[in-house]
Amino acid sequence: MRDIPTTALTALVVDDHPLFCDALMLTLRSIADFAEIQTAGTLDASLDKVNDETEFDLILLDLNLPDVNGLDGLIRLRTAAPKSAILIVSSMADNRMISHALKAGANGFVPKHSQRAVFRKAFDAVRDGLSFVPDGYIDPQGQDNPRDAPEEALSRLASLTNQQARILNLICEGKLNKQIAFDLSIAETTVKAHVTAIMRKLGVHSRTQAVLIAQEARFNRVLPNDL
């Protein structure tokens, strides 16, 4: 993430509730000098804006959108806007979700019910290159044995075939099955079969969980170099 400048700031608010979008725009204008604030009601609309415009300094993202739910939208938006600061603004604010969002690329997490002062603290933190979590957050990894998780993840990843490893790497980049099929010159049905096998081997039930395991084990560092 680049340092957020102090003047001529640009922001993108991604939420499917127009009134809440308006409230977030007012909040942003009250805490910093934003020259431009755009809104999007779907993930696809936000990706179009990111692709069409100079990268936004700050993106506020809801996790529950009409065309995506959970962390998949964050992963795709982070891939499309690698230098933007992304703050998750969501009602799904339990410790595990916050932890997963940070691992998936968010710079901070603000519960939707937060007061304006919390948004100010969050903005100040990401402006200074820091992560932001709400008061009372407890890292769920700290409740378990933190050394066991990466070793278990590495063991699971080692069971993947080379083709499955390639596909998981592309999933980590936020690519969809259709895009993966094109990149690898294989049928989309073949990609779907591999994805199912990957999730079974990793013991997960979604692509997002697979990405989190891969990131936790620093997947890109353990992939064979010739993939």
Side-chain angles (χ1 to χ4, degrees):
M1 185 192 76
R2 63 169 181 256
D3 292 335
I4 296 179
T6 56
T7 59
L9 294 168
T10 59
L12 174 64
V13 177
V14 188
D15 194 288
D16 63 326
H17 293 89
L19 288 177
F20 195 73
C21 275
D22 290 345
L24 286 177
M25 291 173 67
L26 291 172
T27 298
L28 288 178
R29 294 193 188 282
S30 72
I31 63 177
D33 184 17
F34 280 91
E36 180 182 16
I37 301 177
Q38 296 191 35
T39 64
T42 64
L43 180 70
D44 284 344
S46 71
L47 292 174
D48 287 341
K49 288 181 179 292
V50 168
N51 291 332
D52 292 341
E53 304 287 339
T54 303
E55 229 175 322
F56 294 94
D57 298 305
L58 178 66
I59 299 175
L60 301 187
L61 174 67
D62 185 17
L63 294 177
N64 191 8
L65 297 169
D67 55 344
V68 70
N69 191 22
L71 297 174
D72 292 335
L74 168 60
I75 293 168
R76 291 171 61 188
L77 193 57
R78 169 49 74 205
T79 301
K83 294 181 180 179
S84 296
I86 299 179
L87 276 179
I88 300 300
V89 183
S90 176
S91 57
M92 299 185 292
D94 61 277
N95 289 333
R96 190 167 297 277
M97 179 57 73
I98 295 172
S99 174
H100 285 174
L102 295 176
K103 289 178 182 178
N107 299 99
F109 197 110
V110 180
K112 264 195 173 181
H113 61 267
S114 299
Q115 299 294 320
R116 182 175 299 177
V118 177
F119 282 92
R120 184 184 298 277
K121 287 181 181 179
F123 173 78
D124 289 343
V126 299
R127 179 193 57 195
D128 295 336
L130 304 173
S131 296
F132 178 83
V133 294
D135 290 341
Y137 168 73
I138 299 174
D139 185 354
Q141 286 296 327
Q143 301 169 1
D144 305 314
N145 184 344
R147 297 186 179 182
D148 290 344
E151 292 179 4
E152 182 181 354
L154 283 172
S155 176
R156 292 179 181 181
L157 289 169
S159 69
L160 300 181
T161 65
N162 283 351
Q163 185 75 319
Q164 289 167 354
R166 292 189 188 97
I167 290 172
L168 181 54
N169 199 15
L170 292 171
I171 292 173
C172 288
E173 294 176 8
K175 294 193 174 182
L176 303 175
N177 287 349
K178 190 176 298 185
Q179 296 169 310
I180 294 172
F182 177 81
D183 288 349
L184 298 182
S185 300
I186 58 178
E188 188 175 352
T189 54
T190 302
V191 175
K192 290 180 180 179
H194 279 306
V195 172
T196 299
I198 290 167
M199 291 193 294
R200 184 180 67 250
K201 287 184 176 182
L202 297 184
V204 300
H205 303 288
S206 72
R207 295 161 68 99
T208 299
Q209 291 174 324
V211 169
L212 292 172
I213 283 182
Q215 291 175 336
E216 190 169 338
R218 296 179 181 177
F219 182 68
N220 290 325
R221 296 187 181 184
V222 301
L223 275 176
N225 292 329
D226 58 348
L227 291 188

